[in-house]
Amino acid sequence: MGNYFTKKTRILPELQVPEYKGAGCLFTDGKVSLAGYNHKKRFIGGFGGKRELSDADYLDTAFRETIEELLEWEVDADMLHKVRICMPKPLKEVYNNKYSYVTIVYTFDTLKMFLGILDKMRIISKMYQKFPTTLEQLILGRYPLLNAEITTIGVMPVAPRAIIDNTYRADLRVIGAKKPEDLKTPPPHQHIYDALIVTGKQIGRAHV
């Protein structure tokens, strides 16, 4: 297992943007892209966030924020290093000057690779009964905890100017989101996750 994380050099940023304020990862096939729903703020967005002092560059920020939002897992420097030596170069890196934000663009095939890398770190995510290793598992296997930053995940058409039709909004209301009291029931392995936190053990931090 150790060789898996030591056989490569870490990927380096291609853009010179030392004053960036945030970064994130965008996974897409050109037709649809991965998106998440924030229940508290009631908005749908991508995966990423603000730069932290511990981030060496925007790749650190993008990977850290994406892991945190996908899995509700605290990321440390060792985990970031392992991700960066295993991930391939992205399709492209785009800097938005207006928001001082860098977007790292990857394919869905690379998303599957990304999940496989994280799976090897033995992470236990409270969002999943079984760790997701495919796009389908990532979306459909997710448990929508209300206290999570991202409750549910899906794919959105690559149509930045799209407006949601009012009749479709009405259809969604007919389907109806689960009631808060239904979502508060913990997933089957929640007691294991809670026990790990209480005792200070984090399986993913073991040196593999």
Side-chain angles (χ1 to χ4, degrees):
M1 185 72 73
N3 290 336
Y4 184 86
F5 293 111
T6 58
K7 63 185 179 181
K8 302 176 183 178
T9 57
R10 52 192 273 146
I11 61 171
L12 299 173
E14 296 183 354
L15 303 177
Q16 299 298 320
V17 285
E19 302 304 320
Y20 79 97
K21 295 181 181 179
C25 293
L26 176 66
F27 298 97
T28 181
D29 64 355
K31 301 183 292 291
V32 296
S33 64
L34 194 68
Y37 175 64
N38 185 308
H39 175 80
K40 295 178 181 178
K41 297 181 179 179
R42 296 187 180 278
F43 75 80
I44 296 173
F47 299 90
K50 295 180 180 179
R51 178 182 191 174
E52 292 189 355
L53 293 177
S54 59
D55 296 334
D57 51 44
Y58 61 77
L59 288 173
D60 270 5
T61 304
F63 289 138
R64 175 183 53 74
E65 286 285 341
T66 300
I67 295 170
E68 289 175 353
E69 293 178 353
L70 285 179
L71 302 172
E72 282 291 308
W73 186 265
E74 185 179 349
V75 181
D76 61 18
D78 182 60
M79 179 180 290
L80 281 176
H81 175 71
K82 290 174 179 175
V83 168
R84 289 184 61 160
I85 64 176
C86 295
M87 286 290 281
K89 285 188 175 182
L91 288 177
K92 56 184 172 180
E93 301 173 6
V94 181
Y95 180 66
N96 185 311
N97 188 64
K98 180 178 180 180
Y99 299 106
S100 300
Y101 190 90
V102 182
T103 301
I104 316 298
V105 183
Y106 281 114
T107 66
F108 285 140
D109 286 338
T110 308
L111 170 62
K112 185 176 180 180
M113 180 188 299
F114 183 57
L115 294 172
I117 294 168
L118 298 174
D119 186 33
K120 284 181 169 60
M121 297 184 197
R122 300 293 188 264
I123 293 174
I124 291 182
S125 171
K126 63 183 179 181
M127 307 303 295
Y128 298 92
Q129 183 175 5
K130 180 182 178 182
F131 193 89
T133 56
T134 67
L135 177 62
E136 181 179 10
Q137 292 171 0
L138 187 69
I139 295 173
L140 301 181
R142 190 175 185 83
Y143 191 85
L145 294 175
L146 286 180
N147 61 349
E149 185 171 357
I150 301 297
T151 49
T152 53
I153 291 175
V155 292
M156 295 282 290
V158 179
R161 296 185 178 182
I163 298 173
I164 298 179
D165 180 73
N166 287 333
T167 57
Y168 182 59
R169 288 179 184 272
D171 291 341
L172 294 179
R173 293 190 182 97
V174 171
I175 297 172
K178 288 181 177 293
K179 297 178 181 179
E181 55 267 27
D182 295 331
L183 296 178
K184 289 178 181 178
T185 304
H189 65 274
Q190 183 67 36
H191 64 288
I192 299 175
Y193 180 86
D194 292 340
L196 287 171
I197 297 302
V198 169
T199 59
K201 296 179 182 177
Q202 295 184 353
I203 290 178
R205 303 304 164 78
H207 293 287
V208 291

